Each structure stands twice: as C-alpha cells, then as structure tokens.
Amino acid sequence: MKIVQINTVCNTGSTGKIAADIYAIAKQAGYETYIAYGRGSAPANIQSFKIGNFLDFGCHVLINFFLGKSGFGSKYVTKKFLKWLDKIKPDILHLHNLHGFYLHVGILFEYIKKHDIPVVWTLHDCWPLTGQCAHFDYANCNKWQTSCHHCPIYRSDYPYSLFYDNSYHNYIVKKELFTNVNNMIIITPSNWLADIVKKSFLQKYPISIIPNGINLQLFCPADKQKSGNTNHSHTLATPKIILGVANVWSKSKGLKYFLQLSDMLDQTYHIVLIGLTSKQQSQIQAKYNGRITALTRTFNQQELVSWYQNAFVFVNTTLEDNFPTTNLEALACGTPVITFKSGGSPESITHQCGIVVEKGNIEQLKNAILSLEKRAEITSSACRKQALNYEKSIRFKQYISIYEQLIK
C-alpha cells in the first residue's frame, strides 16, 4: 500500500511532527509512505516531495493579501506535484493542513475526484470548513454553519487577507470541492472539533477521533522524586515557575493574561514565557523585567523539556484551540496544567492533573494557581499517568486501521 501525506511542513511544528510520526509507524507496518510538504525542509530519512518554493510562497501570500484566496494560489507548483503523484500512484492520500500558501486546493481535489483516490483528512484546525479563518472562537462567529460572509476577522486572523473579504466565495467553492470526494474519512484530535465537523458541510463523512500523541521518552519527569506520588508543589523550590509555551503568541493565545498575572501574584511566583517574537521579548523585558522571563522560540527539545520539568504549573491561556500538545508535554513531565475552558484544551485534563477555568476569567486563573498547593489530589504521578494515554505509537497506530478500512 502506498500512502502520501500532505502538510504545510515536515517534521517541524506540531503538525509536521505528527506527519513524521505517522510516516514512521506506517513504514514499520510495511507500507510505502511519503510526505509532500510546502515549506522548510525534510529529514533525509523521509521519502518526501517539496511542493512549493520561496517565490511561489510570496506570490500566494500576495494573492491572499489582495484577493482573499488562501489555498487558491500556487497553481504551477501544484500541477508539478500532481505529475509526481502520477508516478507514485498512491492508494491513499492523507491530508493535514492544506493552507499555508503552498497548494491550490481546487486543482488537488479535482485530481482526487478524477482518480477516485481514498482520502484521510486530519483536521488540525477549522480552515477546511470556513470561508477564511482557521479558528472562529475568538471572534465568536458561527457563520460557517450556513455560509460565511462579511468575515469579522479576515484582516486580523490567519490566513490574513488585508484588502478583500472573499469569505463567501471561498466558502461556496470549498464546500463544492470538499464534499465531492467519494471515499473520505475525517479525523479530529478532539471531541470538540468532531462536534464542529458534525455541524458543517463535511458532516456527511465518517468522523474518527484520534488525539495527538507525544514522545513519552523525551517528555518525562526529571527524576524519581518528581514522578513519585507526592504533591507536585513539594518538589519545587521558590520562586515557583508559571510556564507558558506557544509557537506564536497571537492575541488568541492569551498573552495578556500572563502580563496581568505578573501584577497580581507576589514574588513567590515567577512567569516564564517561551515562543515570543524578538519584539515581544524586548517589550516584556522593558516593562516586566524581574517578574517575567521572556524567551523566543526554542528548537532545542531538551531545553523545552527542562522548562516543563522545573515548572510549578503549566498555564494555557489559549482562547481558541483544537487539542494542544503543549498540555500533553507538560503532563508527561509530571507538571500539572491549568487551562481555559477553550476548544479541546480541557479534554486532556482530569481533576488529578490540573484545573480548568472559565475562558478569559483572570480571577479564576489566579485563584487556581494559588490553590494548587492545597490540591492534594493533584500529583506528579497522576500527571504522568494521564500522559501515558497519549503515547504517540499507540495513538498513531490507529491510522493503520483507518487506512485498511478505507481500502476495503
């Protein structure tokens, strides 16, 4: 069986790592497998095809800026990619993120229809079922249930269209394209997104829920004491580190709540933020020096693990999310999680490994942090035990069953 995955990136970022993990598991199962991607590079040990290039990426971005056509540029590189597909003759196409300015979805789905290729589509956000945005929670918009139009965030939310709201036309075209596949299974990492899909134009397709998985050998407690059956707070010295991690600290990631917390908590606590831009880092250092440690994104996995291991608590202030792997990474390191009740973020949290607070409620967030020491039921061992449910090889082996189901 030949399987080709398509994603924006390969082996970088959360979706790229997921695709690479699925690649490895499918290869172990004896399948011939490939990853086609749009940006960056791929490891030498992965059979891959790069769809886009820097020039095409820039042109696609401009097309979206001026015409609002994210996913409808990159005609030439998409046709070139399909010629490569003709040589591979895949038995299954496994789609991930198709947005990212590297692919023309119209040309791709016409090809899928023409060749009647079975499709697995893992949704990492809501872009496939909207006319513009990847997430709509922050805007509190439900137009996607009927027909997108007059998009309230087309200028402010990814993928940004600065000059033209094309959400209605995009919605109509995407609906026609994406519902014209004969054999497709939708995968969502969260129950939350599965419920969203059931209300969208993709509702006619079968839906399976496969949560994201992580490397539990990499993300693990620092020592036996940390993973023992003790209250987490007793294993840490002051100041107690409140950790926040994001690939991009956009408004929807809730950066402002950490800034507010720094004014509300005493010196017993210290905030560490990872993933900031250089500009954000400079601004925070200038105003919150001594209260917040501001760090840019790290590509050193062991460094990230060390921060998780030494944190008193991992706080996720996301205002819209699918199923964040950062929660899983913290739990795997024996660190409890406090998260807003937003999207699928609470789904990995139990009362023994963290606290869920109302979205945007800064008082509840502060009180949850202050109460953590008194929560005897929240232990490092319980955090680690919960994380064991998301071991990547166990989770991603479920895709093998999906592939076999599609072929049958």
Side-chain angles (χ1 to χ4, degrees), residues 307-334:
W307 279 115
Y308 280 127
Q309 291 171 341
N310 289 286
F312 169 67
V313 62
F314 176 74
V315 174
N316 194 336
T317 55
T318 184
L319 300 172
E320 54 184 14
D321 219 320
N322 183 0
F323 192 80
T325 54
T326 49
N327 290 359
L328 308 181
E329 292 168 353
L331 293 174
C333 293

Side-chain angles (χ1 to χ4, degrees), residues 27-44:
K27 189 174 182 180
Q28 289 171 5
Y31 300 127
E32 186 178 337
T33 182
Y34 303 83
I35 297 180
Y37 64 100
R39 299 212 300 268
S41 59

Side-chain angles (χ1 to χ4, degrees), residues 166-177:
N166 199 42
S167 57
Y168 174 75
H169 178 264
N170 288 344
Y171 181 92
I172 297 301
V173 174
K174 287 161 79 172
K175 180 179 180 179
E176 181 178 355
L177 288 170

